[in-house]
Every structure is written in C-alpha cells, then in structure tokens.
Amino acid sequence: ETRDVDQPTDILSFPMHDALEPGVLMKPEIDIPQLYNLGDMMVDVPYVIRRCKEDEEWEYEDDDDRGVSGAMVEEFDPEKRLHMLLVHGMLHLVGYDHIDDEDYEVMVAKEDEILKEIDLLPSQKA
C-alpha cells in the first residue's frame, strides 16, 4: 500500500530528491556524477501484462485516462507499454505528478512530448 491506495498498480516511483518544480531538481550536494541517483522505480510486470489484455477488450473513452497518458491505454503490447511506463516513472522521479488536474495536464503533455521524441507515441496521438 502506497499513496493511501490499497490496490495494484503498474509502476511506483520513489524520488531521492525533492523537485523545485516539475523537471527541475536542486543541485546535488556532492557533485560526483557516479553518485547521481534520481531514485527507485518498481514495476509490476505481471500486472502490466494483465492490464494490456484487459485494456485491449475495454472500450476506451478519451476523457477516461486519469493517471496515465491516454497513449498508454492504447498500447496493448506489454513490452512497449513497459517502455512507456519507464518514461512515466522517470517523470515522477524528477518532480512531475498527476494528483490534481493542473499537474496532470503538465505531466501528460511532457510524457507525450517524450514518447513522441522516442517514437513510442501511437500515431493517432502524434
């Protein structure tokens, strides 16, 4: 149980540093690149595989994508979705979040920007 949510999830991120604002971290106290660490991520791979199968059968509605970029629920290949989740988790490690509507919009825009840059954004969202 994390974030006061008692249910499975695909990825959890545990930032090592507080962000000044989304995408902006404080300068490290010890400036040794070999020691840089953004934090940890945990991925529940069996859950991701199950969700891909469930989502493929689910009727997706454009306004029903709270918590992840809508692009992710349109990806049914578990390997590709895992790559997308790593982008999502990394954004959490650098201060992005989707708790409230404004933060959600900012995070999804950044997520979609990165997914497009690395050619993981489904063509209908690009």
Side-chain angles (χ1 to χ4, degrees), residues 46-72:
Y47 177 77
V48 172
I49 293 168
R50 271 194 325 271
R51 281 307 302 258
C52 284
K53 290 177 185 173
E54 291 169 6
D55 288 348
E56 194 166 16
E57 298 169 4
W58 178 59
E59 189 95 14
Y60 173 73
E61 294 181 24
D62 202 29
D63 64 343
D64 196 16
D65 59 357
R66 186 68 172 180
V68 297
S69 168
M72 220 173 301

Side-chain angles (χ1 to χ4, degrees), residues 55-97:
D55 288 348
E56 194 166 16
E57 298 169 4
W58 178 59
E59 189 95 14
Y60 173 73
E61 294 181 24
D62 202 29
D63 64 343
D64 196 16
D65 59 357
R66 186 68 172 180
V68 297
S69 168
M72 220 173 301
V73 296
E74 298 173 15
E75 180 54 66
F76 310 121
D77 178 333
E79 185 174 343
K80 288 181 183 174
R81 187 171 299 184
L82 284 168
H83 288 118
M84 297 170 92
L85 283 167
L86 291 175
V87 169
H88 184 84
M90 291 291 291
L91 287 173
H92 279 302
L93 292 181
V94 296
Y96 287 85
D97 214 327

Side-chain angles (χ1 to χ4, degrees), residues 13-35:
S13 298
F14 302 93
M16 182 159 289
H17 309 282
D18 291 328
L20 298 172
E21 62 183 73
V24 179
L25 300 176
M26 292 176 27
K27 184 176 176 163
E29 290 180 29
I30 302 171
D31 197 13
I32 301 172
Q34 293 85 346
L35 299 179

